[in-house]
Amino acid sequence: LAKTTQPISMDSYEGQEVNITCSHNNIATNDYITWYQQFPSQGPRFIIQGYKTKVTNEVASLFIPADRKSSTLSLPRVSLSDTAVYYCLVLPYNNDMRFGAGTRLTVKP
Amino acid sequence: SAVISQKPSRDICQRGTSLTIQCQVDSQVTMMFWYRQQPGQSLTLIATANQGSEATYESGFVIDKFPISRPNLTFSTLTVSNMSPEDSSIYLCSVSRGGTEAFFGQGTRLTVV
């Protein structure tokens, strides 16, 4: 499985756009990029998945450059409730999900 | 989506005893996973429990310590055997119908004293 690297922590303020970048230099052709969000005392929750270019849903956008060696999760206009740990996973379909360290996002008022 | 009920939500156990954690899903799923998460840390995959086959354990986890049952497509159990304080952690059940989207239970917070 491709190794991922993302910042350990990030701080932001309410109303700002937050971009979390994940590096995955050894991504394979059949790998997908998936992001999860975890609040304290809860299990992770799927946010978004992509293979290339840009994907957008009601929660976030995922930007993937042509070489796919990195990806950026974009959270528009964050609120205090977006404070959580965000995990980037790179894996093929139907594979065991192994989580890296994640990025701890703190949104301040 | 899938709704997962995990029991117990928390427990305090004596060292040397065993605890069985149950994971019930509201619909049939092929892939089930068990994770351990220490406070403030990421999730560590313990094993994959697909119905119809023996559980597959990750390096560092063995069946004698963490026996898993998967009797049908909606239920699984993880037993933490002969517990020690080092087993104190949050244990999470997860399911997937394929792809890269998984659904997680709320977890079982285990404290071994």
Side-chain angles (χ1 to χ4, degrees):
Chain A
L1 292 176
K3 176 178 166 55
T4 60
T5 302
Q6 49 183 127
I8 296 296
S9 64
M10 294 181 68
D11 289 343
S12 182
Y13 290 92
E14 285 189 289
Q16 289 187 332
E17 177 184 78
V18 171
N19 296 307
I20 306 174
T21 297
C22 179
S23 297
H24 28 81
N25 291 319
N26 60 338
I27 188 169
T29 302
N30 59 343
D31 284 343
Y32 288 77
I33 299 159
T34 307
W35 286 80
Y36 282 78
Q37 174 191 57
Q38 185 178 26
F39 298 114
S41 301
Q42 294 187 26
R45 180 178 75 110
F46 173 89
I47 300 177
I48 197 166
Q49 168 198 288
Y51 185 81
K52 60 181 179 180
T53 63
K54 176 184 174 182
V55 180
T56 297
N57 62 21
E58 65 279 4
V59 176
S61 294
L62 179 59
F63 298 91
I64 306 169
D67 65 5
R68 303 201 328 125
K69 293 184 183 300
S70 67
S71 59
T72 299
L73 176 73
S74 181
L75 305 172
R77 298 180 297 282
V78 294
S79 64
L80 296 176
S81 62
D82 292 315
T83 293
V85 179
Y86 292 82
Y87 297 97
C88 167
L89 281 73
V90 175
L91 70 166
Y93 255 43
N94 301 330
N95 207 301
D96 300 343
M97 296 191 184
R98 297 180 180 84
F99 287 73
T103 297
R104 187 173 300 274
L105 172 67
T106 302
V107 180
K108 302 175 182 179
Chain B
S1 66
V3 177
I4 300 169
S5 172
Q6 198 172 324
K7 295 180 181 179
S9 58
R10 60 177 61 228
D11 207 342
I12 301 174
C13 301
Q14 296 291 324
R15 67 178 67 198
T17 62
S18 297
L19 175 72
T20 295
I21 302 168
Q22 299 180 0
C23 179
Q24 179 74 53
V25 191
D26 67 340
S27 56
Q28 294 184 342
V29 291
T30 303
M31 304 172 74
M32 294 186 83
F33 308 94
W34 286 97
Y35 292 86
R36 183 170 72 182
Q37 186 172 32
Q38 305 280 7
Q41 302 295 315
S42 182
L43 289 80
T44 300
L45 181 64
I46 297 173
T48 301
N50 295 332
Q51 201 273 336
S53 62
E54 295 291 323
T56 303
Y57 290 81
E58 293 293 293
S59 175
F61 297 96
V62 295
I63 187 171
D64 290 345
K65 176 68 175 178
F66 298 100
I68 289 171
S69 78
R70 182 78 200 272
N72 56 52
L73 290 172
T74 64
F75 188 77
S76 178
T77 66
L78 169 75
T79 298
V80 186
S81 303
N82 188 24
M83 290 183 285
S84 67
E86 291 70 36
D87 295 319
S88 297
S89 190
I90 298 171
Y91 292 84
L92 292 145
C93 167
S94 170
V95 304
S96 175
R97 292 196 178 88
T100 63
E101 183 173 2
F103 305 93
F104 287 80
Q106 292 289 83
T108 296
R109 184 178 295 272
L110 171 62
T111 302
V112 183
V113 297

